[in-house]
Amino acid sequence: MSQPQRDLRLTVWNEYRHEKENPKVSAVYPQGIHQALADGLRAHGFASVQTATLDEPEHGLTDEVLANTDVLLWWGHKAHADVSDEVAARVVARVLDGMGLIVLHSGHFSKVFKTLMGTGCDLKWREGNDKERLWVVNPAHPIAQGVGEYIELEAEEMYGEHFDIPTPDELIFVSWFSGGEVFRSGCTFRRGSGKIFYFRPGHETYPTYHNPAIRQVIANAAHWARPTASAPRSFGHRPVPLESGPLEALPTRPSPEKPS
Amino acid sequence: MSQPQRDLRLTVWNEYRHEKENPKVSAVYPQGIHQALADGLRAHGFASVQTATLDEPEHGLTDEVLANTDVLLWWGHKAHADVSDEVAARVVARVLDGMGLIVLHSGHFSKVFKTLMGTGCDLKWREGNDKERLWVVNPAHPIAQGVGEYIELEAEEMYGEHFDIPTPDELIFVSWFSGGEVFRSGCTFRRGSGKIFYFRPGHETYPTYHNPAIRQVIANAAHWARPTASAPRSFGHRPVPLESGPLEALPTRPSPEKPS
Amino acid sequence: MSQPQRDLRLTVWNEYRHEKENPKVSAVYPQGIHQALADGLRAHGFASVQTATLDEPEHGLTDEVLANTDVLLWWGHKAHADVSDEVAARVVARVLDGMGLIVLHSGHFSKVFKTLMGTGCDLKWREGNDKERLWVVNPAHPIAQGVGEYIELEAEEMYGEHFDIPTPDELIFVSWFSGGEVFRSGCTFRRGSGKIFYFRPGHETYPTYHNPAIRQVIANAAHWARPTASAPRSFGHRPVPLESGPLEALPTRPSPEKPS
Amino acid sequence: MSQPQRDLRLTVWNEYRHEKENPKVSAVYPQGIHQALADGLRAHGFASVQTATLDEPEHGLTDEVLANTDVLLWWGHKAHADVSDEVAARVVARVLDGMGLIVLHSGHFSKVFKTLMGTGCDLKWREGNDKERLWVVNPAHPIAQGVGEYIELEAEEMYGEHFDIPTPDELIFVSWFSGGEVFRSGCTFRRGSGKIFYFRPGHETYPTYHNPAIRQVIANAAHWARPTASAPRSFGHRPVPLESGPLEALPTRPSPEKPS
């Protein structure tokens, strides 16, 4: 993943509120979570990485920005309600049209993710003194490349089951927490032409997005979620074949045996 | 499935507009599609089957009706937009809370189904002279019991792929159409605590819901979609274990070999 | 689940060697693991529960026994190799033909399970002082009914990921172990007409099969795995329709618009 | 897909009996099916494509050949029984260890595929005058890139449901046949570290492997099935953490509310 990946255009979206209000957070992410994520992606060879944040006009996600984004990363937490319905719908539409989406941590409660899932996306949580281990349960999946059997984070917020999502298409990581819980931490979903990866870690008070293994997973996921030159998706009326009538009942004739 | 199933409370919802406006439809379903569906369910031993239609107050789906419904069937076509957002949201919430849902034919475009899927739910279609065969691809599934290898309908509207839904949890029927298309005709999904079955056939101008095999599938599905005495789903904050600190790094000691 | 379930014929198969050789095991299961499992099933209303063990002729699994078994439970550990290929193949064939199968704990390495999975079925393990929690991740599944959000076992052998199985059709339980591992502990698979449930707990030195919640899950699973009156599965040559030739290329005619 | 893909080492295995015995087949594939497949792959930029056939020593699949194969293609039909158990087991082991596998057409009945699936893999079939259409049902999948909404084959052998396989991880193509059947024609499976793609078309008497769209799918699949630098898969005993005892019961303390 270290070779230049110039053809993939990434946009990192961040709520960017905690960092401006809480010194504990800005100590960990002085340039904001989005910059830490962008730095990690650039270090993995992605040459086109831009950022966008909630308090920019249209939250930084204009039609033009989205039209020029192949994969969008999303980090939000305490201001989900401040994301306008219009921009959320615009992002959802782009995903269905093929843009990849990586939803991080508390983004599980974002309008975008909940709309794409169709469920409540709720979970258990605790800010305590938990250690987390993300175990790989799908070792051959491209998103798990290069990270070993598990990723250990000395301290993280706990998320616990039941996680109210549809059955993921693929389950890649399951987290263990020292306080006694488990969580489906790395899940893929396809919606329309878009590929979605939900990845659990990244509470704002911990240096999770500086962790090399976490950065590796996110880089892998960006590559995995890239749009494919999809088979066309056409819908609507389909003309009647002029000549074809219903097939008649199917009379039969004897046939030779097949080798098997 | 012929024994009394008195404990399951079914509600059949129908848009009920075509039947009042189009003599061709009322000739096939003189009491409305909902009554044909209800008759089929009663014939399969369901003792508690009520109906509700779009033009009733609150579309017949009050809080009380939904609270007393175990499985809801949904048929709608040309008036999806007339279903109020409030009632649609109420139905979605009940499904997530455990009510079963059977979405029939053009219900694929209903607010309820699209919200639960998170995708556009579009497809190809044609009113022509197609014959349809619904092939069973999951023969041991309870929804496929008693219907043989395939169900043949002499004439139906065609629905064709690509059907823009999330990957179904289970695929049970795949339709063949004489005009040249295929369709994933019987699909299950779990959302929250609710079980959902989408079943394709049932255009308003054809006597599909009088067909014994189609009635068998719908009765099977009603039984399958019944709410389970679910494991509780609690969410939110989870207290910190007072005594537990992070586990220390894990030093090891030698261990005996396992037989395998 | 407490009403009589007289129609379902269960057979509990047990290797039954540890109990005869190890006083620690016979102290926990004086009549053998099979009898503890059978007792639990009878307490849940199953009236027809028989047992079979490795050292009986044909391991107690004659054609006649299998023909009269709706759901088979399987516990084996240190003598997988002593199960004859012929009996293992006979069991596999019955599963594909519709018999339900519940594979318990170290049965993951049995010939039957490995053949049905097509993979190595290996895992990590430790006999230590682990506490186990089985978290429900699919709360509306019938197998999870009545067991709460998680099942806690004060002491169990640890099994850890990666568990080398195909992606389960449904994932119901994920285990947390105090020593730092996770495991996909409750998994369903369909193979042919048969339903398979793998359930992790039950090391021979712990009283796991006396635990009420574990007994509840196994009873739920026995009910879930029952054979369905399957759609027929016919294979082989299919006659040529006498009259039908290839459809011609599909010329088209204009068509009316569809409401949507 | 037209740029050089020099890093991927492909081996095309063919039974190569029909071509030597049946003039009708040799007219279509004068150099054998394997050479037609290899030509198609080379035209898509794969620089390292070798072939192997049944009647070579060890069927051309020595340990060394397999060790130097990233993705293996498999075409067999009437001589499945002539493949030695030893070579079949060797291929299965390599797949579980990460080699990709593309199983073509009648390879559904090969020892390799049946072992990896754990089911009978039977189906219906007919050599008649069927037209086939392979509809894309997963348009964003990389295997479906560049082939349009469906692939049409003027004449092919029919394969019909029920196809006795485990539920595929992903379903990409569904075939329509003019004689009245459907088939799950493009399916992915993961087994161990290996990725498997089953692709239906390719009866020996039709020029299917000269078809550009079919060649595109096979080239896409070769790329998709490439081994990943997998997360390590270690199994077996795991040491006891020296210090850790069971967590105590979890007493709790009050906690602040979470924004959501």
Side-chain angles (χ1 to χ4, degrees):
Chain A
M1 299 293 291
S2 57
Q3 69 279 33
Q5 310 208 4
R6 291 213 169 74
D7 57 330
L8 209 57
R9 301 161 301 170
L10 308 182
T11 301
V12 181
W13 190 90
N14 180 19
E15 189 178 282
Y16 198 30
R17 291 262 176 97
H18 289 289
E19 299 93 326
K20 292 185 278 190
E21 297 168 7
N22 184 342
K24 191 173 168 190
V25 179
S26 59
V28 181
Y29 296 112
Q31 312 302 323
I33 285 172
H34 50 299
Q35 294 300 348
L37 289 165
D39 288 349
L41 290 162
R42 289 184 191 113
H44 276 274
F46 291 98
S48 170
V49 185
Q50 62 179 322
T51 64
T53 58
L54 178 62
D55 293 322
E56 298 173 41
E58 303 186 51
H59 315 321
L61 298 173
T62 60
D63 281 325
E64 192 187 347
V65 166
L66 290 175
N68 289 288
T69 298
D70 294 312
V71 179
L72 177 70
L73 292 86
W74 190 278
W75 196 101
H77 183 211
K78 66 178 193 172
H80 295 310
D82 293 355
V83 174
S84 77
D85 288 352
E86 186 188 345
V87 169
R90 188 187 294 165
V91 171
V92 166
R94 265 293 285 144
V95 172
L96 296 178
D97 197 43
M99 181 180 70
L101 177 68
I102 300 175
V103 176
L104 294 165
H105 192 60
S106 40
H108 72 90
F109 256 162
S110 63
K111 290 179 181 181
V112 166
F113 188 64
K114 291 174 69 171
T115 299
L116 286 162
M117 295 295 104
T119 60
C121 299
D122 210 343
L123 46 79
K124 298 185 180 66
W125 60 275
R126 175 178 60 232
E127 283 190 64
N129 51 358
D130 280 277
K131 176 188 287 194
E132 177 176 13
R133 274 191 188 166
L134 297 105
W135 284 92
V136 175
V137 301
N138 192 340
H141 198 284
I143 291 179
Q145 288 185 69
V147 301
E149 288 194 277
Y150 61 85
I151 300 170
E152 185 156 313
L153 300 171
E154 278 306 304
E156 252 290 355
E157 185 183 18
M158 183 280 291
Y159 277 11
E161 294 284 342
H162 173 60
F163 183 19
D164 184 17
I165 50 172
T167 301
D169 290 347
E170 299 165 308
L171 179 62
I172 303 175
F173 296 100
V174 172
S175 281
W176 171 97
F177 291 95
S178 50
E181 291 85 5
V182 298
F183 195 74
R184 288 170 291 170
S185 275
C187 301
T188 73
F189 306 89
R190 295 191 189 217
R191 293 293 182 270
S193 292
K195 302 184 193 73
I196 302 168
F197 180 57
Y198 175 79
F199 192 45
R200 196 214 76 83
H203 193 61
E204 66 271 12
T205 56
Y206 301 107
T208 299
Y209 297 128
H210 300 303
N211 180 295
I214 297 295
R215 288 183 164 200
Q216 177 75 60
V217 170
I218 293 171
N220 291 344
H223 191 66
W224 170 86
R226 70 192 181 283
T228 46
S230 290
R233 305 200 312 145
S234 77
F235 301 112
H237 185 260
R238 197 170 151 82
V240 180
L242 266 187
E243 314 293 340
S244 77
L247 287 182
E248 300 305 311
L250 303 167
T252 63
R253 66 182 176 213
S255 287
E257 285 307 291
K258 187 197 198 184
S260 61
Chain B
M1 297 296 291
S2 58
Q3 70 278 32
Q5 309 210 5
R6 291 211 169 75
D7 57 331
L8 209 56
R9 301 162 302 171
L10 308 182
T11 300
V12 180
W13 190 88
N14 180 18
E15 190 178 281
Y16 198 30
R17 293 260 175 97
H18 289 290
E19 300 93 326
K20 292 185 279 190
E21 297 168 6
N22 184 342
K24 191 173 169 191
V25 178
S26 60
V28 181
Y29 296 112
Q31 312 302 323
I33 285 173
H34 50 300
Q35 294 301 349
L37 289 165
D39 287 349
L41 291 162
R42 290 186 191 111
H44 277 273
F46 291 96
S48 171
V49 184
Q50 62 180 321
T51 64
T53 57
L54 177 62
D55 292 323
E56 298 173 43
E58 303 186 49
H59 314 322
L61 297 174
T62 61
D63 281 325
E64 193 187 347
V65 166
L66 289 176
N68 289 288
T69 297
D70 294 313
V71 179
L72 177 69
L73 292 87
W74 191 279
W75 197 101
H77 182 210
K78 65 178 195 172
H80 294 310
D82 293 353
V83 175
S84 77
D85 289 351
E86 186 188 346
V87 169
R90 189 187 293 165
V91 172
V92 166
R94 266 293 284 144
V95 172
L96 296 178
D97 197 42
M99 182 180 71
L101 177 68
I102 300 174
V103 175
L104 294 165
H105 191 60
S106 41
H108 71 89
F109 256 162
S110 64
K111 291 179 180 179
V112 167
F113 188 65
K114 290 174 70 171
T115 299
L116 287 162
M117 294 297 104
T119 58
C121 299
D122 209 342
L123 47 78
K124 298 185 179 67
W125 60 276
R126 174 179 60 231
E127 284 191 63
N129 50 358
D130 279 277
K131 175 187 288 195
E132 177 177 13
R133 276 190 186 165
L134 297 105
W135 285 92
V136 175
V137 301
N138 192 340
H141 197 285
I143 292 179
Q145 288 185 69
V147 301
E149 288 194 276
Y150 61 84
I151 300 171
E152 185 156 312
L153 300 171
E154 278 306 303
E156 253 289 355
E157 185 183 19
M158 183 281 291
Y159 276 12
E161 295 282 345
H162 172 61
F163 183 19
D164 183 18
I165 50 171
T167 301
D169 291 347
E170 298 166 308
L171 179 62
I172 304 175
F173 295 100
V174 172
S175 281
W176 172 96
F177 291 94
S178 50
E181 291 85 5
V182 298
F183 195 74
R184 288 171 292 171
S185 275
C187 301
T188 74
F189 307 88
R190 296 190 187 216
R191 293 293 183 270
S193 292
K195 302 182 194 72
I196 302 168
F197 179 58
Y198 174 78
F199 192 45
R200 196 212 77 81
H203 194 60
E204 66 271 11
T205 56
Y206 300 108
T208 300
Y209 297 129
H210 300 302
N211 180 295
I214 297 296
R215 287 183 164 200
Q216 177 74 58
V217 170
I218 293 171
N220 291 344
H223 191 66
W224 170 86
R226 70 193 182 282
T228 46
S230 288
R233 305 201 312 145
S234 77
F235 302 112
H237 184 261
R238 197 171 150 82
V240 180
L242 266 187
E243 316 291 340
S244 77
L247 287 182
E248 300 304 311
L250 302 167
T252 62
R253 66 184 177 213
S255 288
E257 286 305 292
K258 186 195 199 185
S260 61
Chain C
M1 299 293 294
S2 57
Q3 69 278 32
Q5 310 207 5
R6 291 212 171 74
D7 58 331
L8 208 57
R9 300 162 302 171
L10 308 182
T11 300
V12 180
W13 190 88
N14 180 19
E15 188 177 281
Y16 199 29
R17 292 259 176 98
H18 289 289
E19 299 93 326
K20 292 185 278 192
E21 297 168 6
N22 185 343
K24 191 173 169 190
V25 178
S26 59
V28 181
Y29 297 112
Q31 311 303 322
I33 285 173
H34 50 300
Q35 294 300 348
L37 289 165
D39 288 349
L41 290 163
R42 290 185 190 111
H44 276 274
F46 291 97
S48 170
V49 185
Q50 62 180 323
T51 65
T53 58
L54 177 62
D55 292 324
E56 297 172 43
E58 302 187 50
H59 316 322
L61 297 173
T62 60
D63 282 325
E64 192 186 348
V65 166
L66 289 175
N68 289 287
T69 298
D70 294 312
V71 179
L72 177 70
L73 292 87
W74 190 279
W75 195 101
H77 182 211
K78 66 178 192 173
H80 295 310
D82 293 354
V83 174
S84 77
D85 289 352
E86 186 189 345
V87 170
R90 190 187 292 165
V91 172
V92 167
R94 266 293 286 144
V95 171
L96 296 178
D97 197 43
M99 181 180 71
L101 178 68
I102 300 176
V103 176
L104 294 166
H105 191 61
S106 39
H108 71 89
F109 256 162
S110 63
K111 290 179 181 179
V112 167
F113 188 64
K114 289 174 71 172
T115 300
L116 286 162
M117 294 296 105
T119 60
C121 299
D122 210 341
L123 46 78
K124 297 185 181 68
W125 60 276
R126 175 178 59 232
E127 284 190 62
N129 51 359
D130 280 277
K131 176 186 287 194
E132 177 177 13
R133 275 189 186 166
L134 297 105
W135 285 92
V136 175
V137 301
N138 192 340
H141 197 284
I143 292 180
Q145 288 186 68
V147 301
E149 288 193 277
Y150 60 86
I151 300 171
E152 185 156 312
L153 300 171
E154 278 306 303
E156 253 290 355
E157 185 183 17
M158 182 281 291
Y159 276 11
E161 295 283 345
H162 172 61
F163 184 19
D164 184 17
I165 49 172
T167 301
D169 290 347
E170 299 167 308
L171 179 62
I172 304 175
F173 295 100
V174 172
S175 281
W176 171 96
F177 291 95
S178 51
E181 291 85 5
V182 298
F183 195 74
R184 287 170 292 169
S185 274
C187 302
T188 73
F189 307 88
R190 296 191 188 217
R191 292 293 182 272
S193 293
K195 301 183 193 74
I196 302 168
F197 180 57
Y198 175 79
F199 192 44
R200 196 214 76 83
H203 193 61
E204 65 271 10
T205 57
Y206 301 108
T208 299
Y209 297 129
H210 301 302
N211 180 295
I214 297 294
R215 288 183 164 200
Q216 177 75 59
V217 170
I218 293 171
N220 291 345
H223 192 66
W224 170 85
R226 71 193 180 282
T228 46
S230 289
R233 305 202 311 145
S234 77
F235 301 112
H237 185 260
R238 199 172 150 80
V240 180
L242 267 187
E243 315 291 341
S244 78
L247 288 181
E248 300 303 312
L250 303 167
T252 62
R253 66 182 179 214
S255 287
E257 285 307 291
K258 188 196 197 185
S260 61
Chain D
M1 299 294 291
S2 56
Q3 70 277 33
Q5 309 209 6
R6 292 212 171 74
D7 58 331
L8 209 57
R9 300 161 302 171
L10 308 183
T11 301
V12 180
W13 189 88
N14 181 18
E15 190 178 279
Y16 199 29
R17 292 260 176 97
H18 289 290
E19 299 93 325
K20 292 184 278 191
E21 297 168 6
N22 185 343
K24 190 173 169 190
V25 178
S26 60
V28 181
Y29 297 112
Q31 312 301 324
I33 286 173
H34 49 300
Q35 294 301 349
L37 290 165
D39 288 348
L41 291 162
R42 289 185 191 112
H44 277 272
F46 291 96
S48 170
V49 185
Q50 61 179 322
T51 64
T53 57
L54 177 62
D55 293 323
E56 298 173 41
E58 303 186 51
H59 315 322
L61 297 174
T62 60
D63 281 326
E64 193 187 348
V65 166
L66 289 175
N68 289 288
T69 298
D70 294 313
V71 179
L72 178 69
L73 292 87
W74 191 279
W75 196 101
H77 183 212
K78 64 178 193 172
H80 295 309
D82 292 354
V83 174
S84 77
D85 288 353
E86 187 189 344
V87 170
R90 188 187 294 165
V91 171
V92 166
R94 265 292 287 145
V95 171
L96 297 177
D97 197 42
M99 181 180 71
L101 177 69
I102 301 175
V103 176
L104 294 166
H105 192 59
S106 41
H108 72 90
F109 256 163
S110 63
K111 292 179 181 180
V112 167
F113 188 64
K114 290 175 71 171
T115 299
L116 287 162
M117 295 295 104
T119 59
C121 300
D122 210 343
L123 46 77
K124 297 185 180 67
W125 59 277
R126 174 179 57 232
E127 285 190 62
N129 50 359
D130 281 277
K131 175 188 288 195
E132 177 176 12
R133 276 191 187 165
L134 297 105
W135 285 92
V136 175
V137 301
N138 192 339
H141 197 286
I143 292 179
Q145 289 185 67
V147 301
E149 289 194 277
Y150 61 85
I151 300 170
E152 186 156 311
L153 300 171
E154 277 306 303
E156 252 290 356
E157 185 183 18
M158 183 280 292
Y159 277 11
E161 295 282 345
H162 172 60
F163 183 19
D164 184 18
I165 50 171
T167 301
D169 291 347
E170 299 166 308
L171 179 62
I172 304 175
F173 295 99
V174 172
S175 281
W176 172 97
F177 291 94
S178 50
E181 291 84 5
V182 298
F183 195 74
R184 288 170 291 170
S185 275
C187 301
T188 74
F189 307 87
R190 296 190 188 218
R191 293 292 183 272
S193 293
K195 302 183 193 73
I196 302 167
F197 180 57
Y198 175 78
F199 192 44
R200 196 214 77 82
H203 194 62
E204 66 271 10
T205 56
Y206 301 107
T208 299
Y209 297 128
H210 300 303
N211 180 296
I214 297 295
R215 288 183 163 200
Q216 177 75 57
V217 170
I218 293 171
N220 291 345
H223 191 66
W224 170 85
R226 71 192 182 283
T228 46
S230 288
R233 304 201 313 146
S234 77
F235 301 112
H237 185 261
R238 199 172 149 81
V240 180
L242 266 187
E243 315 291 341
S244 77
L247 288 182
E248 301 303 312
L250 303 167
T252 62
R253 66 183 179 213
S255 289
E257 286 306 292
K258 186 197 199 183
S260 63

